[in-house]
């Protein structure tokens, strides 16, 4: 599953574009990429609305850190 070897696969996700499927707020939200959904947090703490496009900045274990594009 997507959790296996997540660290080695960082390049598969880094700098890629994903779509927000659950609004990202202070406690995070969810994004979709490659047909997978991931827990996501905003890199700078801003809220990002559902359906917005975001860039994946880093992958920390099972959480993606993203910024709005």
């Amino acid at each position: 599953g997507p959790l296996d070897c997540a660290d080695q696969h960082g390049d598969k996700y880094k700098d890629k574009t994903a779509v927000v499927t659950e609004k990202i707020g202070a406690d995070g939200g969810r994004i979709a990429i490659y047909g997978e959904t991931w827990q996501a947090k905003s890199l700078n703490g801003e809220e990002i609305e559902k359906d917005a496009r975001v860039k994946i900045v880093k992958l920390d274990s099972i959480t993606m850190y993203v910024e709005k594009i």
Side-chain angles (χ1 to χ4, degrees):
L3 304 187
D4 302 338
C5 308
D7 295 333
Q8 288 95 309
H9 293 323
D11 290 348
K12 175 181 169 186
Y13 301 102
K14 190 167 166 18
D15 297 328
K16 299 292 190 289
T17 300
V19 177
V20 177
T21 58
E22 257 176 53
K23 185 180 92 165
I24 299 172
D27 297 325
R30 291 191 80 78
I31 60 170
I33 184 170
Y34 303 133
E36 308 163 355
T37 62
W38 287 78
Q39 205 168 308
K41 288 191 170 173
S42 167
L43 192 68
N44 60 9
E46 71 175 345
E47 286 201 345
I48 306 174
E49 67 276 7
K50 185 178 186 296
D51 299 326
R53 292 161 71 81
V54 292
K55 183 175 90 170
I56 296 169
V57 181
K58 67 174 184 171
L59 169 56
D60 176 17
S61 154
I62 59 165
T63 302
M64 300 278 192
Y65 284 84
V66 300
E67 58 187 17
K68 198 169 169 187
I69 47 179

